[in-house]
Amino acid sequence: MSTPSPPPRPGHGYGPFAHLTAPHAALYRAVVRVFLTAKEKFAVHLRPEDVYAGLPPESRPADLDTVTRALVSLSGEEWGNLRADPDTARVTAVEDFYRRRFIYQLTQAGEAAEEALAAYDEALGRRGALQAVALHDIVTQLRALLSLAGQDAPDPAKTYLTLDGLTSRFTALAENARAFMGSLQRTIDLHGVEVEAFLAYKDQLIHYLERFVQDLITLGSTVARLITQLDREDGACPDSPSRVDPLLRIAAGREAADAAPEEAERAFDAAYARWTDRWQGLAAWFLSQDGRPAQARLLRTRALGAIPQLLAVVRTLNERRAGRSDRSADFRTLARWFAEAPDDAARHRLWRTAFGLYPARHLSVDADTLAARTADPTPPSTPWARAEPLRISPQLRRTGSYERRGKARRVEDRSPARRQLAERAAKEAEQLAAARARLATGGRQIRLSDLGELDPDAFALFLQLLGDALATWRPDTVTTTATSNDGAMEIRLTALGTDGAPPAEVRTPQGVFRGPDHLIHITDLTGGERA
């Protein structure tokens, strides 16, 4: 390894970063990291041999002198990452004073530069994660805040710790979600992603997205309800006083308690503004405000949209691995083969092979024509109008008929099959009409639990209608209306909004279907009945 040498002194006071653009930058980074590791073990000064021993094997040069020269460069005035002090501890004779022996210590500027580089490396390689556990923690902290808000004199320490824990978990959730969606888009675009690695973990990634979206739908509405209850004394009245504002003032007062007396008021105002901004950011993440959708809803939509995109990437990769190409690529390859063919005869054979332009099957060439063509071959470039005529023996002209000899095939009677299909169609139509009549509520709303027992046909139709209605359901939806795919049935589904109500049960011969109770209104549109 050649001798590391520092570049000219950089300006603007960023000398501790200059070693990044110098030759042997990897060695300089490794040397500075040795000092950071030693500082964690409370070792301040290091000798060159200590640094050499602390370097990882893959970064360790062949000799100690290279490390010594790197230490001299890092401790010079140009860079200033290290500070060199004379090593007087090992002086045993007068001659030792004339030898250059130094111990090195990490300077404040060098430590700050390395911490900045470590933060940069961490942010650059960060993939992020969708933290479903953080959602549970946020729900727990919000319930604790709701309990504190109901007290006459909340404990300042508990209030501050609860708010601090809530904002920390929310900040981590938001940052990780943003980093994860960015890395997910790079994965979808296959930027910096190995194909084999992507195919290996795609199933886990899709399952991970589905599980997070399910948790976000389940817990997002709970978080939104708790935030609404904390924002207003009466969650239904927008003019009611805020219940969280006193808690924010308590936390701001606790933060400003250590400020100087002349800055106490200003410190309280600044702390209160910070806590208010944090709470508003949390509310905007889970609640739609001023016509803008909540960030949680956008994240859910983005995560759901990523699943089909991932599947499309997998399909594209499988097509690539199977060697599938489009028509334009096939024609370009065929054109290259034509250009590389040795002669016209080979090109004609390639043409017939590629496009299947074989001679007519009902024509045959006789022996005299073949002998004449062998004695005097006609070049393939000869136009048909100038070529010698071919003597052929058409089978149709020789026999006078091209039909096969023998007994004609008997016409198959398909009347029984048609009758069976008609009976099956009539039976299915009858069963479908009976199912529609069974599910129609007669122009009135009933509870889902009042449907009673359903036969298999009616239950299958009911599941289709319920699925169509739930496909349009959103967390803030109260009533939704959907029509079946054939336009014959209409269902209106309304949430009851009663917490703790017993689940609805629909009994079938195969078992019991259970779920949250709703008001339903089912109309059979084929009979002209409308809601």
Side-chain angles (χ1 to χ4, degrees):
M1 182 177 294
S2 58
T3 303
S5 58
R9 180 171 180 171
H12 307 292
Y14 295 118
F17 293 96
H19 65 282
L20 299 176
T21 58
H24 313 290
L27 175 61
Y28 294 134
R29 289 290 310 276
V31 169
V32 176
R33 281 195 292 267
V34 171
F35 280 89
L36 288 177
T37 304
K39 185 178 179 181
E40 294 176 356
K41 300 177 181 179
F42 305 101
V44 179
H45 297 88
L46 293 179
R47 296 183 174 88
E49 52 269 23
D50 299 331
V51 177
Y52 183 81
L55 288 172
E58 63 273 9
S59 303
R60 187 180 301 160
D63 55 352
L64 178 61
D65 292 339
T66 303
V67 176
T68 302
R69 287 189 289 269
L71 291 171
V72 172
S73 300
L74 288 168
S75 60
E77 294 182 359
E78 293 83 0
W79 294 351
N81 299 81
L82 303 177
R83 191 184 73 186
D85 297 319
D87 185 6
T88 59
R90 294 186 296 177
V91 175
T92 58
V94 177
E95 293 80 3
D96 293 337
F97 280 100
Y98 298 98
R99 297 177 183 176
R100 295 184 58 182
R101 297 178 182 271
F102 293 97
I103 55 177
Y104 296 91
Q105 177 182 356
L106 192 66
T107 63
Q108 183 179 3
E111 183 178 358
E114 188 60 30
E115 289 179 354
L117 292 173
Y120 173 80
D121 293 338
E122 181 182 359
L124 191 64
R126 182 181 184 183
R127 294 190 60 89
L130 298 176
Q131 299 173 314
V133 178
L135 293 171
H136 292 273
D137 294 343
I138 290 174
V139 171
T140 302
Q141 300 289 354
L142 287 174
R143 287 173 176 167
L145 280 180
L146 195 60
S147 176
L148 290 171
Q151 299 177 8
D152 295 334
D155 183 79
K158 290 183 179 179
T159 302
Y160 178 81
L161 291 177
T162 304
L163 281 171
D164 184 66
L166 174 63
T167 54
S168 299
R169 279 314 256 159
F170 167 68
T171 303
L173 172 66
E175 291 180 356
N176 278 278
R178 183 169 56 252
F180 178 82
M181 297 314 297
S183 63
L184 179 61
Q185 186 60 49
R186 291 193 296 271
T187 301
I188 293 175
D189 296 337
L190 293 180
H191 291 166
V193 179
E194 295 184 1
V195 174
E196 297 298 333
F198 171 76
L199 293 176
Y201 91 109
K202 62 178 176 62
D203 293 334
Q204 299 179 5
L205 180 59
I206 292 175
H207 176 71
Y208 178 63
L209 286 172
E210 291 176 343
R211 181 170 56 86
F212 176 78
V213 170
Q214 182 180 2
D215 290 339
L216 188 60
I217 293 175
T218 304
L219 298 176
S221 59
T222 303
V223 173
R225 185 176 67 253
L226 291 173
I227 292 176
T228 303
Q229 293 176 359
L230 284 167
D231 265 338
R232 297 184 291 270
E233 183 73 28
D234 184 3
C237 181
D239 297 331
S240 58
S242 173
R243 304 176 67 181
V244 76
D245 187 72
L247 301 180
L248 299 179
R249 293 183 177 276
I250 291 175
R254 184 173 175 83
E255 276 192 2
D258 295 332
E262 63 274 8
E263 297 183 358
E265 184 176 355
R266 185 170 56 184
F268 174 81
D269 293 339
Y272 177 68
R274 284 195 303 270
W275 281 110
T276 303
D277 292 340
R278 293 170 184 173
W279 179 258
Q280 291 176 354
L282 174 64
W285 219 83
F286 290 97
L287 294 176
S288 300
Q289 298 176 353
D290 300 330
R292 293 178 297 178
Q295 293 295 322
R297 176 177 295 182
L298 296 177
L299 176 62
R300 182 173 69 247
T301 304
R302 181 67 185 87
L304 285 174
I307 296 176
Q309 293 181 10
L310 287 171
L311 296 178
V313 172
V314 174
R315 183 168 57 253
T316 302
L317 293 177
N318 289 333
E319 291 177 357
R320 291 180 186 175
R321 300 174 74 184
R324 179 178 177 181
S325 59
D326 55 8
R327 182 171 299 178
S328 60
D330 293 340
F331 278 120
R332 286 193 297 268
T333 303
L334 185 60
R336 186 172 64 253
W337 290 351
F338 272 106
E340 296 174 352
D343 50 28
D344 288 343
R347 295 184 184 94
H348 277 274
R349 287 195 300 271
L350 179 59
W351 176 272
R352 289 192 298 269
T353 303
F355 297 101
L357 297 180
Y358 300 103
R361 295 181 180 180
H362 65 282
L363 300 178
S364 62
V365 179
D366 56 14
D368 296 338
T369 304
L370 289 177
R373 291 182 62 181
T374 303
D376 186 13
T378 302
S381 59
T382 304
W384 287 98
R386 298 180 182 179
E388 293 291 333
L390 296 178
R391 290 187 173 88
I392 60 176
S393 177
Q395 182 180 353
L396 178 61
R397 190 177 185 87
R398 185 175 66 247
T399 60
S401 175
Y402 193 61
E403 295 181 357
R404 292 184 57 184
R405 299 293 182 178
K407 186 178 179 181
R409 294 184 60 182
R410 184 177 181 181
V411 179
E412 184 178 355
D413 184 11
R414 301 185 183 275
S415 300
R418 294 193 185 98
R419 186 167 51 253
Q420 184 179 1
L421 290 177
E423 293 175 354
R424 181 183 300 176
K427 183 178 180 181
E428 291 178 354
E430 182 181 355
Q431 293 174 350
L432 183 59
R436 291 171 180 167
R438 171 64 180 85
L439 293 178
T441 58
R444 57 190 179 88
Q445 283 188 339
I446 65 172
R447 285 179 175 266
L448 187 61
S449 55
D450 295 336
L451 274 178
E453 185 173 353
L454 298 178
D455 58 82
D457 297 329
F459 182 66
L461 181 59
F462 169 72
L463 287 182
Q464 294 179 7
L465 292 173
L466 187 62
D468 293 338
L470 293 179
T472 62
W473 197 271
R474 297 294 181 267
D476 54 350
T477 302
V478 178
T479 301
T480 184
T481 303
T483 306
S484 60
N485 294 332
D486 57 358
M489 300 290 289
E490 182 183 79
I491 180 173
R492 181 183 301 167
L493 192 65
T494 304
L496 290 176
T498 55
D499 297 333
E505 292 186 354
V506 178
R507 298 188 176 275
T508 68
Q510 289 78 18
V512 180
F513 175 79
R514 295 184 178 88
D517 205 357
H518 288 72
L519 291 177
I520 60 172
H521 184 186
I522 302 177
T523 307
D524 184 3
L525 301 179
T526 59
E529 183 187 3
R530 283 282 182 178

